[in-house]
């Protein structure tokens, strides 16, 4: 599980850095905060839903960077 969490942290930082370069620093910071919040919500929800299965919970955590990137890029097209 620790490897999944480390990879998740690297993914969130990489996606936030990319969004920060494309859309600006404020967007990068807001996407970082949003993805961390989303990861926490997904973690607790899937932990409750699966009864504590760590592998299932860990795999569902990777929805957070994907959702964060999609949402920020859709919002970013309006700003260009």
């Amino acid at each position: 599980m620790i490897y999944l969490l480390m990879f998740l942290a690297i993914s969130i930082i990489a996606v936030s850095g990319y969004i920060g370069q494309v859309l600006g620093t404020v967007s990068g910071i807001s996407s970082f905060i949003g993805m961390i919040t989303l990861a926490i919500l997904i973690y607790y929800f899937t932990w409750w839903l699966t009864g504590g299965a760590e592998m299932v919970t860990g795999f569902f955590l990777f929805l957070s960077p994907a959702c964060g990137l999609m949402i920020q890029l859709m919002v970013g097209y309006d700003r260009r």
Side-chain angles (χ1 to χ4, degrees), residues 5-78:
L5 292 176
M6 290 303 297
F7 189 70
L8 176 69
I10 291 169
S11 298
I12 287 175
I13 291 171
V15 169
S16 296
Y18 172 73
I19 290 172
Q21 288 178 352
V22 172
L23 299 175
T25 307
V26 175
S27 294
I29 293 170
S30 68
S31 69
F32 178 77
I33 293 169
M35 283 186 281
I36 292 293
T37 306
L38 186 60
I40 292 168
L41 291 173
I42 289 171
Y43 178 79
Y44 283 116
F45 180 71
T46 56
W47 184 266
W48 169 76
L49 191 64
T50 61
E54 286 187 357
M55 289 301 287
V56 175
T57 302
F59 287 132
F60 274 108
L61 284 175
F62 288 98
L63 292 173
S64 175
C67 292
L69 182 62
M70 287 186 288
I71 290 169
Q72 287 293 328
L73 290 178
M74 286 189 287
V75 169
Y77 283 124
D78 291 339

